[in-house]
């Protein structure tokens, strides 16, 4: 994202993340998972649930339920995610974004921004 230091991506960094890099990352996820994981998969799920650039807690929670980032109405910790590509992993489960051990409290507010970046980059 053109940053000098390793740090978490803020909304401005997301908006300036090179499209070519995002497309490459997405292609690698799609290829290695036979189309089950990737940014484009997550974008499609998010939009199908009614997600837009404007944050909507109901859509965000439904997204979390759909991709397996929530269980019984509670967000999982990063270490609780499924890291295999087996048949039991929900579609769109990966890649996951870590903002510390409990990663969804912050990321939900910029997830809609990254989805918009995926749209702008034709992902």
């Amino acid at each position: 994202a053109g940053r000098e230091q390793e740090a978490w991506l803020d909304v401005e960094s997301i908006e300036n993340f090179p499209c070519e890099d995002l497309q490459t990352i997405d292609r690698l996820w799609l290829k290695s998972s036979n189309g089950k994981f990737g940014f484009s998969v997550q974008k499609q799920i998010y939009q199908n649930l009614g997600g837009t650039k404007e944050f909507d807690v109901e859509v965000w929670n439904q997204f979390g339920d759909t991709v397996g980032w929530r269980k019984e109405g509670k967000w999982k910790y990063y270490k609780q995610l499924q890291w295999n590509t087996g048949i039991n992993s929900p579609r769109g489960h990966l890649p996951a974004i870590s903002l510390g051990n409990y990663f969804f409290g912050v990321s939900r507010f910029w997830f809609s921004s990254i989805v918009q970046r995926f749209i702008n980059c034709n992902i």
Side-chain angles (χ1 to χ4, degrees):
R3 297 177 77 170
E4 297 281 328
Q5 303 176 33
E6 184 178 325
W8 304 115
L9 294 177
D10 56 17
V11 172
E12 182 180 348
S13 297
I14 290 168
E15 291 172 350
N16 293 306
F17 203 98
C19 289
E20 185 177 344
D21 293 344
L22 286 174
Q23 292 164 343
T24 298
I25 294 166
D26 187 53
R27 275 194 307 272
L28 291 169
W29 273 105
L30 289 169
K31 182 178 179 181
S32 66
S33 70
N34 294 315
K36 188 174 182 177
F37 303 130
F39 297 138
S40 56
V41 174
Q42 292 174 340
K43 180 190 85 169
Q44 179 185 44
I45 292 168
Y46 187 73
Q47 289 180 317
N48 286 346
L49 293 169
T52 66
K53 188 173 181 178
E54 299 302 317
F55 177 72
D56 180 318
V57 71
E58 184 176 322
V59 171
W60 177 244
N61 288 337
Q62 289 175 351
F63 178 82
D65 293 337
T66 302
V67 300
W69 293 352
R70 284 180 16 129
K71 183 176 182 179
E72 297 173 1
K74 295 184 181 179
W75 290 97
K76 292 181 177 181
Y77 288 91
Y78 190 70
K79 65 184 178 183
Q80 294 174 309
L81 298 181
Q82 295 176 355
W83 296 106
N84 60 46
T85 59
I87 195 163
N88 293 329
S89 298
R91 185 174 176 267
H93 188 70
L94 298 173
I97 302 159
S98 172
L99 294 173
N101 188 33
Y102 187 71
F103 64 117
F104 294 105
V106 176
S107 65
R108 66 182 184 183
F109 293 110
W110 61 262
F111 187 81
S112 53
S113 293
I114 202 163
V115 168
Q116 186 61 47
R117 187 67 180 152
F118 298 157
I119 292 167
N120 294 344
C121 292
N122 297 314
I123 293 178

